[in-house]
Amino acid sequence: MRKLSYLIIVCLCLCSGVIPLMARQVTAFNTGWQFKKGPFATDPMRAASQWDGKWETVEIPHTWNAMDMQVQSGSFYEGAGYYRKTQFFPHDLEGKRVFLRFEGVGACAEVYVNGKLAGTHKGGYSAFACEIGTALKLGAENEIIVKADNKARPDVIPVNQNLFGVYGGIYRPVWLIVTEQNNITVTDCASPGVYITQKDVSKKSADITVKVKLDNAGLQPAAVTLENTIYTQEGQKVGTHSRSFDLSPQGTQTYLSTFKLKNPHLWQGRKDPYLYKVVCRLMADGKVIDEVVQPLGVRKYEIVAGKGFFLNGEKYSMYGVTRHQDWWGLGSALKNEHHDFDLAAIMDVGATTVRFAHYQQSDYLYSRCDTLGLIIWAEIPCVNRVTGYETENAQSQLRELIRQSFNHPSIYVWGLHNEVYQPHEYTAALTRSLHDLAKTEDPDRYTVSVNGYGHMDHPVNLNADIQGMNRYFGWYEKKIQDIKPWVEQLEKDYPYQKLMLTEYGADANLAHQTEYLGDALNWGKPFYPETFQTKTHEYQWSIIKDHPYIIASYLWNMFDFAVPMWTRGGVPARNMKGLITFDRKTKKDSYFWYKANWSEEPVLYLTQRRNADREKRTTAVTVYSNIGTPKVYLNGQELSGIRNGYTDVHYVFDNVSLADGKNILKAVVSTKGKEYTDEIEWNYSGEKNREIDSYENKNEHSGF
């Protein structure tokens, strides 16, 4: 039965399968796995008897932390888990090369094939590939065992689980790759083996270089031809370069092709994310023996201190959000449909740029950003703390990130670290080494490091191309309004520095609502009103948009996410700074604030619909409208006294007097022959007093 299943898989792959790549066969390897959570008393690789007992049948993606890391602070399993799969490999694979490519295993992995160690990997967010052909028994069943361990280690970043949880398991897809003896390399940091660079990009021309790494696993030089071709999005050939040579069996070989595109169709972000296609074919005896296809978005990124971000020579608005990958009830074991859902929300709110924090995320996600036109920031999980033992691993993870993601036109910057401080001297040196590595691997993209303090002369700063700062005015420090003097002082003192506001915002527990709001909230208390989050974003975006010195801003966060070491705001293991709840079911008021300000889609929205049990008879009504001045009716009577708020989509009615009992508010805008309405219900049953603890934190501190 297993033989038949394998033959069916091969047939599907060759005929109309998962990824039809000519001689290279790429097949999903995600079913038929069994899982057993450790720890074991002895090493299960050495003690066969340990494999007896109950195993759970699972499908990849899988994590063992889907619930425990999300529901109870500090109480989750971190340690070893084991995956087992038996697979029949036919004699047809004689003379072929066989690889397993893991897109993500949390966090350290060991791969065994028939008891032989085939590969190891340290880092929960980057892909890795193992060549397993020499360990296989052809014409027989083979046992594959993967040990995954998500226990925090001082030599593997992140070195703790304080800012987010590292979910254990094989939580991204696994692929079986079969090639001929000569191939476009599979094991160059699990990259495509193809690297596309572009120079002197303009509307008139662009210089494109395609670098391909080739590998000969034989004992003799092989006569091959490498053909690199660029196609338009519509499938028309733009140019091709062919070269024949003898491929050495000693070491990986690198070959370059250069192209000059005339009048290129530029990749223009969300407006026009046009993609060419680069096809690299390796041929022998007139037949294609390997093929890799990569995207090419022809674009030029430029950052000018004090002026902003430029795409293809034109100013480009960087409306930014951040995204953690985990979902309620799923952890990080996501399918493409979950990534698509998140991207749809990000597109809907009107964002133009995304910071994927604080680690490398799915390659599928990056590919979708290429096609959607989102400009993205990719980073490694060097966060929160250093130990002195992580330098080698941080460099390794950065190298993997860059090589695996090199060809995504949507990526403009490599993130080196987030809020890493003492010891300052070590951290500064580590950042410089990461910057140097990034520039060696990819001279054409920017680098960024992020500080949670607000002053430019912090001792770990200015070791990357861009200085990011996370600022939570009104939440962790000072008052909401202090964002303005902060940025104005930086503009005055450091006009030549490239600065980004890389996190800002406030938590919002939808169960917490109040009309009583100050200018700062004591985040140490368990009361996190949604209305305070809304107030924070309303004011702070109004300052950000008027200060081009802030080259890009990234609100924290698009979605609520798990923080397994914390209990805050009355909910364990939860960061609630998202614009959308952890279960992706509810969009908070702040979501519509940004959609009204950023999106071209029509927005008419009455705020505080969840703050329905009103505390004051005389109150204010706020409306977001990007389609014109709204009319608002209270219990059928039109309100007067409308005024503009912080931006031109912000409308406020002050001193609105509620009736006893139920009150119906209705907003109406008529534009272009269409009427838009929004309606909410409030209830008033008498005055209610609420004391909100607020304070000004003198110690500048940024959280997660």
Side-chain angles (χ1 to χ4, degrees), residues 362-481:
S362 166
D363 187 73
Y364 173 82
L365 192 78
Y366 295 164
S367 296
R368 291 288 293 129
C369 290
D370 295 339
T371 62
L372 293 171
L374 288 169
I375 295 176
I376 63 176
W377 161 338
E379 63 186 81
I380 59 173
C382 186
V383 297
N384 180 240
R385 296 288 186 273
V386 286
T387 64
Y389 299 99
E390 69 280 277
T391 294
E392 182 178 353
N393 183 254
Q395 293 172 342
S396 175
Q397 290 198 45
L398 180 60
R399 185 179 299 108
E400 290 172 332
L401 168 64
I402 294 173
R403 293 191 186 182
Q404 291 168 21
S405 308
F406 193 92
N407 298 325
H408 291 298
S410 53
I411 297 176
Y412 80 97
V413 67
W414 304 117
L416 308 181
H417 79 70
N418 180 79
E419 295 185 0
V420 181
Y421 308 119
Q422 295 284 1
H424 293 152
E425 295 77 12
Y426 172 82
T427 300
L430 172 60
T431 310
R432 287 192 294 270
S433 75
L434 293 172
H435 170 79
D436 183 64
L437 186 153
K439 289 300 186 182
T440 300
E441 292 282 333
D442 182 11
D444 299 324
R445 283 188 176 93
Y446 291 99
T447 65
V448 61
S449 64
V450 175
N451 197 313
Y453 294 88
H455 47 91
M456 193 70 74
D457 59 350
H458 191 280
V460 305
N461 282 359
L462 304 180
N463 292 303
D465 294 327
I466 302 164
Q467 185 58 55
M469 292 189 186
N470 300 339
R471 312 304 296 144
Y472 289 93
F473 292 108
W475 190 253
Y476 293 124
E477 58 167 318
K478 300 183 179 179
K479 298 179 180 179
I480 292 173
Q481 296 81 4

Side-chain angles (χ1 to χ4, degrees), residues 35-36 50 99 115 123 146 182 216 223 243 300 358 386 477 528 583 677:
F35 169 72
K36 198 170 189 179
Q50 290 290 332
F99 305 84
V146 179
N182 304 309
N216 177 355
R243 178 179 179 181
K300 178 182 179 182
H358 289 300
V386 286
E477 58 167 318
Y528 285 8
D583 60 10
T677 64

Side-chain angles (χ1 to χ4, degrees), residues 48-243:
S49 62
Q50 290 290 332
W51 294 113
D52 296 334
K54 184 178 180 181
W55 284 74
E56 176 188 359
T57 299
V58 299
E59 182 175 347
I60 307 303
H62 174 264
T63 177
W64 59 75
N65 295 123
M67 291 304 298
D68 66 348
M69 194 171 273
Q70 300 181 348
V71 298
Q72 187 173 349
S73 300
S75 180
F76 59 92
Y77 177 71
E78 58 172 336
Y82 300 87
Y83 294 84
R84 177 174 69 176
K85 178 180 171 72
T86 56
Q87 181 70 49
F88 179 83
F89 288 90
H91 287 291
D92 295 357
L93 294 179
E94 188 74 40
K96 305 286 187 180
R97 301 179 69 180
V98 183
F99 305 84
L100 285 178
R101 187 178 190 274
F102 297 83
E103 289 193 22
V105 178
C108 295
E110 300 171 12
V111 180
Y112 297 83
V113 179
N114 296 323
K116 297 179 180 179
L117 180 63
T120 64
H121 185 255
K122 296 178 180 178
Y125 301 101
S126 50
F128 65 98
C130 307
E131 187 162 7
I132 65 171
T134 56
L136 293 177
K137 300 174 184 178
L138 300 184
E141 298 284 350
N142 292 258
E143 183 181 58
I144 299 167
I145 294 169
V146 179
K147 176 184 177 182
D149 193 332
N150 69 329
K151 186 174 179 60
R153 296 172 42 160
D155 62 328
V156 178
I157 58 172
V159 299
N160 60 36
Q161 310 218 35
N162 285 357
L163 297 192
F164 53 88
V166 181
Y167 292 85
I170 308 177
Y171 72 93
R172 288 183 187 155
V174 184
W175 301 93
L176 176 68
I177 302 174
V178 179
T179 74
E180 300 294 339
Q181 287 288 302
N182 304 309
N183 64 17
I184 299 171
T185 184
V186 177
T187 55
D188 182 32
C189 291
S191 73
V194 176
Y195 301 89
I196 306 166
T197 56
Q198 43 191 295
K199 300 283 188 182
D200 300 324
V201 173
S202 70
K203 294 179 180 179
K204 294 183 178 180
S205 67
D207 296 328
I208 307 298
T209 300
V210 179
K211 179 171 73 173
V212 183
K213 292 186 176 182
L214 302 178
D215 191 15
N216 177 355
L219 296 176
Q220 304 294 331
V224 298
T225 298
L226 176 64
E227 180 184 272
N228 296 321
T229 306
I230 299 177
Y231 296 90
T232 66
Q233 189 166 279
E234 295 74 25
Q236 295 180 328
K237 184 186 293 186
V238 175
T240 189
H241 179 271
S242 182
R243 178 179 179 181

Side-chain angles (χ1 to χ4, degrees), residues 297-373:
V298 182
R299 83 289 184 264
K300 178 182 179 182
Y301 295 132
E302 185 179 11
I303 294 173
V304 180
K307 294 185 178 180
F309 189 94
F310 293 81
L311 173 60
N312 301 324
E314 298 180 0
K315 183 75 177 293
Y316 195 79
S317 298
M318 295 288 274
Y319 301 150
V321 299
T322 49
R323 187 249 191 181
H324 266 293
Q325 67 183 6
D326 57 335
W327 276 50
W328 170 252
L330 297 174
S332 290
L334 306 183
K335 296 182 179 180
N336 289 347
E337 63 199 62
H338 303 112
H339 298 303
D340 285 335
F341 183 98
D342 283 2
L343 288 172
I346 289 169
M347 293 291 286
D348 182 67
V349 82
T352 59
T353 180
V354 188
R355 180 186 179 192
F356 288 115
H358 289 300
Y359 38 77
Q360 184 171 346
Q361 299 194 17
S362 166
D363 187 73
Y364 173 82
L365 192 78
Y366 295 164
S367 296
R368 291 288 293 129
C369 290
D370 295 339
T371 62
L372 293 171

